[in-house]
Amino acid sequence: MSCEVKEKERAGIINPIFTCQPAGAQFASIGIKECIGIVHGGQGCVMFVRLLFSQHFKESFELASSSVHEDGAVFGAVHRVEEAVDVLLMRYPHVKVIPIITTCSTEVIGDDVDGAVIKLNEGLLQEKYPGREVHLIPIHTPSFKGSQVTGYDVAVKDIVSYFAKKSEPNGKLNLITGWVNPGDVTALKHLLAEIQVDATVLFEIESFDSPLMPDGSSVSHGNTTIEDLIGTANALGTIALNRYEGGKAAQYLQNEFDIPTIIGPTPIGIRNTDTFLQNVKKLTGKAIPESLVRERGIAIDALTDLTHMFFAEKKVAIYGNPDLVIGLAEFCLDLEMKPMLLLLGDDNKTYPDDPRIKELQKNVDYGMEIITNADLWELENRIKNGGLELDLILGHSKGRFISIEYNIPMVRVGFPTYDRAGLYRHPIVGYAGATWLAEEMANTLFTDMEYKKNKEWILNVW
Ligand code: SF4
């Protein structure tokens, strides 16, 4: 018995795990202050993505479309970018950063977005908006390759490389969080504050858990500023938490500006949070304070109450963004659970070379499958026709129908999680995240025990 990594054998996708590259670029763009992205394509490329974000965060925010129509598909639609930039600048006087995000259609048409940006910089911006600070950043995200994950990675790298500028060292640590929730950002900031590290948290969406204020303002926006992005070239180090969501930008800063860089691990679970803090210590020289040792102890105490008694041998399937899936699998193994099936939803050929996957292959002593280019049918088919028995599913809301249909308890984690209240507020990273995640899994299993009358009496004497 071992851990097998293989690509889905079927052609085509049934019930995809991911959406397309422009979605990832849009997620990166909402993390920047005074920024509205223009998606160059049909309106649906924004409308459905924005809906997904809004469903997940239960918030409102701004994204624009160049709204390409039939004539553009035939004759080219680059003029729509020029018009969209002008309209956006007129309508939103505060906007300074405009990522121009391409889509499948406009990449196939062959619209020269880079050329349009040069033309706008030399023409419209100087003639109509002289003196106004405007940054137009072309981001190429054709949706016929990669996924939302690669789209995020490409956008983060393109935006960082556009702004990063060498000057005096600023003594700060760059933290590229990857695709996380507001609650994760709060938890990460807390860890860094405890360790007294001055950090630039990049593509920072903490305020997407935004208050409804007496003046009625309720539009969410990112918090990463132009100054933050410029300063990335002057940091004392970079940590990218996720290999596939921000790893490219971290690598760029290292290659271009000699910024010491550590990529991963995603701080899910005790082990990975320990490594994250050790990495912060390595780059900043700051000691890990007693307060975090205590926080770690509280988390370990909580997990010890659950692990052997309730989690041991529980079979789990996990799907979603690759760094998240791998981090969750590592955490489940530490909790004595058995991740049986990991689904990675795009055709990235390098997954088998990921050292964390190689580590799983070396150490797992039962039949675990890791499927790349996967869809949700890979999960459903194994349950329905392949005899896969599961105690728990970990994944985003798009898999809820499998949980409901086959009566398998599910913990919502990842993106999007629109069918449960407030999940974006709860961290899954750090010691607090490990505790919350383990208790959420335990409580979900307890509810299932009661619902199915499966040894629920144990809970009377626990
Ligand atoms: S697949 Fe193409 S058309 Fe559909 S949302 Fe993505 S970029 Fe737009």
Side-chain angles (χ1 to χ4, degrees):
M1 299 296 254
S2 63
C3 167
E4 198 182 357
V5 186
K6 58 185 179 191
E7 191 167 345
K8 167 175 66 61
E9 286 163 6
R10 259 175 313 116
I13 292 283
I14 305 171
N15 299 327
I17 292 171
F18 292 155
T19 183
C20 54
Q21 283 212 103
Q26 289 172 70
F27 199 88
S29 78
I30 63 171
I32 303 171
K33 205 168 186 172
E34 296 167 328
C35 167
I36 296 181
I38 294 175
V39 180
H40 183 36
Q43 276 178 218
C45 307
V46 172
M47 192 271 185
F48 293 112
V49 171
R50 189 169 174 276
L51 176 66
L52 212 54
F53 293 179
S54 288
Q55 277 189 293
H56 177 82
F57 292 120
K58 313 288 186 229
E59 297 291 353
S60 181
F61 58 94
E62 317 277 14
L63 275 169
S65 168
S66 64
S67 190
V68 174
H69 286 267
E70 296 99 317
D71 56 337
V74 177
F75 302 112
V78 83
H79 64 286
R80 302 289 295 186
V81 172
E82 296 166 21
E83 288 160 14
V85 167
D86 191 18
V87 170
L88 201 65
L89 290 176
M90 277 193 287
R91 193 177 164 88
Y92 297 91
H94 71 286
V95 164
K96 293 181 182 160
V97 184
I98 306 181
I100 300 170
I101 300 162
T102 66
T103 57
C104 53
S105 57
T106 50
E107 287 285 345
V108 168
I109 297 166
D111 277 350
D112 181 10
V113 169
D114 300 70
V117 165
I118 294 170
K119 190 175 161 199
L120 284 163
N121 281 330
E122 291 174 354
L124 181 83
L125 296 190
Q126 294 189 19
E127 290 154 18
K128 194 167 174 184
Y129 303 97
R132 179 163 168 184
E133 183 183 3
V134 177
H135 303 275
L136 306 176
I137 310 168
I139 296 175
H140 293 274
T141 44
S143 59
F144 39 77
K145 63 180 242 189
S147 66
Q148 61 184 38
V149 176
T150 49
Y152 182 91
D153 204 32
V154 164
V156 167
K157 194 254 170 183
D158 286 354
I159 293 168
V160 166
S161 60
Y162 174 92
F163 284 108
K165 193 158 174 269
K166 197 78 179 169
S167 57
E168 292 302 306
N170 61 18
K172 294 176 89 172
L173 178 73
N174 295 326
L175 183 72
I176 305 178
T177 62
W179 195 312
V180 294
N181 272 320
D184 294 312
V185 178
T186 307
L188 291 163
K189 283 184 175 176
H190 162 73
L191 293 176
L192 293 166
E194 288 296 314
I195 210 168
Q196 294 186 342
V197 167
D198 189 5
T200 305
V201 183
L202 292 157
F203 302 89
E204 201 266 69
I205 45 104
E206 190 179 19
S207 65
F208 268 71
D209 184 8
S210 58
L212 189 54
M213 298 306 285
D215 67 359
S217 62
S218 63
V219 175
S220 301
H221 58 79
N223 285 324
T224 296
T225 63
I226 291 172
E227 290 67 35
D228 289 336
L229 290 160
I230 293 171
T232 53
N234 304 305
L236 53 75
T238 302
I239 294 181
L241 299 181
N242 290 340
R243 188 184 174 95
Y244 303 103
E245 299 156 17
K248 263 194 181 67
Q251 202 62 59
Y252 168 83
L253 289 169
Q254 181 167 46
N255 297 345
E256 199 66 21
F257 302 106
D258 280 335
I259 308 285
T261 290
I262 298 174
I263 297 175
T266 315
I268 295 173
I270 305 294
R271 188 165 35 128
N272 285 330
T273 303
D274 289 351
T275 308
F276 168 66
L277 292 176
Q278 289 299 333
N279 290 341
V280 173
K281 183 178 167 186
K282 204 183 295 174
L283 289 175
T284 63
K286 295 279 178 76
I288 296 169
E290 186 60 29
S291 60
L292 289 184
V293 178
R294 190 179 150 71
E295 227 173 88
R296 181 181 191 273
I298 289 171
I300 288 179
D301 183 50
L303 303 189
T304 310
D305 293 341
L306 298 167
T307 299
H308 205 58
M309 183 135 175
F310 295 109
F311 288 149
E313 303 290 308
K314 289 283 184 291
K315 295 177 177 169
V316 193
I318 312 171
Y319 62 86
N321 288 18
D323 290 291
L324 173 72
V325 169
I326 295 167
L328 289 172
E330 290 169 337
F331 185 39
C332 286
L333 285 167
D334 288 349
L335 296 174
E336 300 182 23
M337 299 169 101
K338 280 189 166 175
M340 303 299 292
L341 179 66
L342 309 187
L343 299 177
L344 309 177
D346 63 22
D347 58 358
N348 187 334
K349 301 287 181 209
T350 68
Y351 288 141
D353 304 325
D354 189 312
R356 297 166 299 177
I357 288 183
K358 285 195 183 300
E359 196 66 18
L360 290 174
Q361 287 185 291
K362 206 162 73 189
N363 296 326
V364 165
D365 58 0
Y366 61 88
M368 178 198 284
E369 282 185 296
I370 302 177
I371 311 295
T372 65
N373 202 17
D375 54 17
L376 287 171
W377 175 246
E378 288 292 310
L379 171 59
E380 184 171 7
N381 186 43
R382 277 171 179 73
I383 297 166
K384 193 174 178 181
N385 306 312
L388 176 65
E389 290 180 3
L390 292 171
D391 298 295
L392 192 65
I393 296 172
L394 299 179
H396 57 64
S397 300
K398 291 287 174 188
R400 69 192 302 270
F401 66 93
I402 300 176
S403 160
I404 295 165
E405 179 76 20
Y406 300 97
N407 254 321
I408 300 167
M410 174 174 169
V411 169
R412 273 71 170 169
V413 60
F415 176 91
T417 56
Y418 47 77
D419 66 331
R420 287 293 182 275
L423 292 190
Y424 53 82
R425 191 171 298 124
H426 298 279
I428 60 161
V429 298
Y431 300 127
T435 306
W436 184 83
L437 198 51
E439 290 177 344
E440 186 76 357
M441 290 198 288
N443 288 335
T444 303
L445 290 171
F446 295 163
T447 305
D448 187 66
M449 285 160 67
E450 289 166 352
Y451 180 69
K452 292 175 182 164
K453 305 220 179 307
N454 177 18
K455 297 187 192 158
E456 82 287 352
W457 49 265
I458 289 174
L459 297 172
N460 287 331
V461 291
W462 177 43

